[in-house]
Short mmCIF file of all heavy atoms in Angstrom, two decimals:
data_model
loop_
_atom_site.label_atom_id
_atom_site.label_comp_id
_atom_site.label_asym_id
_atom_site.label_seq_id
_atom_site.Cartn_x
_atom_site.Cartn_y
_atom_site.Cartn_z
N THR A 332 160.22 63.88 135.59
CA THR A 332 160.05 63.97 137.03
C THR A 332 158.58 64.23 137.34
O THR A 332 157.84 64.77 136.51
CB THR A 332 160.90 65.10 137.64
OG1 THR A 332 160.57 66.34 137.00
CG2 THR A 332 162.39 64.82 137.45
N SER A 333 158.15 63.84 138.54
CA SER A 333 156.74 64.03 138.91
C SER A 333 156.36 65.50 138.99
O SER A 333 155.25 65.89 138.65
CB SER A 333 156.45 63.34 140.25
OG SER A 333 157.30 63.84 141.27
N THR A 334 157.30 66.32 139.45
CA THR A 334 157.10 67.77 139.47
C THR A 334 158.01 68.39 138.42
O THR A 334 159.20 68.11 138.40
CB THR A 334 157.44 68.35 140.85
OG1 THR A 334 156.62 67.73 141.83
CG2 THR A 334 157.21 69.85 140.87
N PRO A 335 157.47 69.22 137.52
CA PRO A 335 158.31 69.81 136.48
C PRO A 335 159.47 70.58 137.06
O PRO A 335 159.35 71.26 138.07
CB PRO A 335 157.34 70.74 135.74
CG PRO A 335 155.98 70.21 136.04
CD PRO A 335 156.06 69.63 137.42
N CYS A 336 160.61 70.47 136.39
CA CYS A 336 161.78 71.24 136.82
C CYS A 336 161.51 72.73 136.63
O CYS A 336 161.80 73.53 137.52
CB CYS A 336 162.99 70.80 136.00
SG CYS A 336 164.50 71.75 136.35
N LEU A 337 160.94 73.10 135.50
CA LEU A 337 160.54 74.47 135.24
C LEU A 337 159.54 74.47 134.09
O LEU A 337 159.28 73.44 133.46
CB LEU A 337 161.74 75.38 134.94
CG LEU A 337 162.75 74.96 133.86
CD1 LEU A 337 162.23 75.23 132.47
CD2 LEU A 337 164.06 75.71 134.06
N LEU A 338 158.99 75.63 133.80
CA LEU A 338 157.98 75.76 132.75
C LEU A 338 158.52 76.59 131.59
O LEU A 338 159.14 77.63 131.79
CB LEU A 338 156.72 76.45 133.28
CG LEU A 338 155.92 75.76 134.38
CD1 LEU A 338 154.76 76.66 134.79
CD2 LEU A 338 155.42 74.41 133.93
N VAL A 339 158.31 76.10 130.38
CA VAL A 339 158.45 76.91 129.17
C VAL A 339 157.12 76.83 128.45
O VAL A 339 156.39 75.84 128.58
CB VAL A 339 159.60 76.42 128.27
CG1 VAL A 339 160.93 76.51 128.99
CG2 VAL A 339 159.36 75.00 127.76
N GLY A 340 156.75 77.87 127.71
CA GLY A 340 155.44 77.82 127.10
C GLY A 340 155.24 78.84 126.01
O GLY A 340 156.09 79.70 125.77
N SER A 341 154.09 78.72 125.33
CA SER A 341 153.74 79.62 124.25
C SER A 341 152.24 79.59 124.03
O SER A 341 151.58 78.58 124.31
CB SER A 341 154.46 79.20 122.96
OG SER A 341 154.04 79.99 121.86
N ASP A 342 151.68 80.70 123.52
CA ASP A 342 150.30 80.69 123.06
C ASP A 342 150.19 80.02 121.70
O ASP A 342 149.09 79.79 121.21
CB ASP A 342 149.77 82.12 122.96
CG ASP A 342 149.34 82.67 124.32
OD1 ASP A 342 149.01 81.87 125.20
OD2 ASP A 342 149.33 83.91 124.47
N GLY A 343 151.33 79.74 121.08
CA GLY A 343 151.35 79.08 119.79
C GLY A 343 152.00 77.72 119.86
O GLY A 343 151.40 76.74 120.26
N THR A 344 153.30 77.65 119.52
CA THR A 344 153.99 76.37 119.47
C THR A 344 155.24 76.39 120.33
O THR A 344 155.88 77.42 120.52
CB THR A 344 154.38 76.01 118.03
OG1 THR A 344 155.28 77.01 117.53
CG2 THR A 344 153.16 75.92 117.14
N VAL A 345 155.58 75.23 120.85
CA VAL A 345 156.84 75.00 121.54
C VAL A 345 157.48 73.82 120.85
O VAL A 345 157.00 72.69 120.94
CB VAL A 345 156.62 74.69 123.04
CG1 VAL A 345 157.96 74.51 123.75
CG2 VAL A 345 155.82 75.79 123.71
N SER A 346 158.56 74.08 120.13
CA SER A 346 159.12 73.06 119.26
C SER A 346 160.59 72.81 119.54
O SER A 346 161.38 73.75 119.64
CB SER A 346 158.94 73.47 117.79
OG SER A 346 159.55 72.55 116.92
N CYS A 347 160.95 71.54 119.71
CA CYS A 347 162.34 71.13 119.87
C CYS A 347 162.65 70.06 118.82
O CYS A 347 161.94 69.06 118.73
CB CYS A 347 162.59 70.55 121.26
SG CYS A 347 162.46 71.74 122.61
N SER A 348 163.70 70.27 118.03
CA SER A 348 164.08 69.27 117.02
C SER A 348 165.18 68.36 117.52
O SER A 348 165.56 67.41 116.84
CB SER A 348 164.53 69.97 115.74
OG SER A 348 165.67 70.77 115.98
N GLY A 349 165.73 68.64 118.70
CA GLY A 349 166.77 67.80 119.26
C GLY A 349 166.39 67.34 120.65
O GLY A 349 165.30 67.65 121.15
N PRO A 350 167.26 66.58 121.32
CA PRO A 350 166.96 66.11 122.68
C PRO A 350 166.69 67.26 123.64
O PRO A 350 167.38 68.28 123.61
CB PRO A 350 168.22 65.35 123.07
CG PRO A 350 168.90 65.01 121.78
CD PRO A 350 168.59 66.14 120.86
N SER A 351 165.66 67.12 124.47
CA SER A 351 165.34 68.13 125.48
C SER A 351 165.02 67.42 126.78
O SER A 351 164.57 66.27 126.77
CB SER A 351 164.15 68.99 125.03
OG SER A 351 163.01 68.19 124.86
N PRO A 352 165.28 68.07 127.91
CA PRO A 352 165.01 67.42 129.20
C PRO A 352 163.53 67.08 129.36
O PRO A 352 162.67 67.96 129.22
CB PRO A 352 165.46 68.48 130.21
CG PRO A 352 166.37 69.39 129.45
CD PRO A 352 165.84 69.40 128.06
N LEU A 353 163.22 65.86 129.66
CA LEU A 353 161.83 65.46 129.86
C LEU A 353 161.27 66.02 131.17
O LEU A 353 160.06 65.99 131.40
CB LEU A 353 161.71 63.93 129.87
CG LEU A 353 162.04 63.25 128.54
CD1 LEU A 353 161.95 61.73 128.70
CD2 LEU A 353 161.11 63.71 127.44
N SER A 354 162.15 66.54 132.02
CA SER A 354 161.69 67.10 133.29
C SER A 354 161.12 68.49 133.12
O SER A 354 160.52 69.04 134.04
CB SER A 354 162.85 67.14 134.29
OG SER A 354 163.92 67.91 133.78
N ILE A 355 161.29 69.09 131.95
CA ILE A 355 160.72 70.41 131.68
C ILE A 355 159.25 70.24 131.32
O ILE A 355 158.87 69.33 130.60
CB ILE A 355 161.46 71.10 130.52
CG1 ILE A 355 162.88 71.48 130.96
CG2 ILE A 355 160.72 72.34 130.06
CD1 ILE A 355 163.70 72.11 129.87
N GLN A 356 158.42 71.11 131.84
CA GLN A 356 157.00 71.10 131.48
C GLN A 356 156.81 72.04 130.30
O GLN A 356 156.71 73.25 130.46
CB GLN A 356 156.13 71.56 132.65
CG GLN A 356 154.64 71.42 132.37
CD GLN A 356 154.14 70.01 132.60
OE1 GLN A 356 154.00 69.56 133.72
NE2 GLN A 356 153.87 69.30 131.52
N GLY A 357 156.80 71.50 129.10
CA GLY A 357 156.56 72.29 127.90
C GLY A 357 155.07 72.52 127.74
O GLY A 357 154.30 71.56 127.69
#
């Protein structure tokens, strides 16, 4: 989406090994 649904974050790594919503701003 043009505007992120929500934010998740880290000062290090943000890792997903399976499908994740592309609308999330990682």
Side-chain angles (χ1 to χ4, degrees):
T332 56
S333 57
T334 301
C336 176
L337 52 78
L338 297 177
V339 299
S341 174
D342 280 335
T344 61
V345 182
S346 176
C347 293
S348 61
S351 61
L353 294 177
S354 58
I355 291 178
Q356 186 82 74

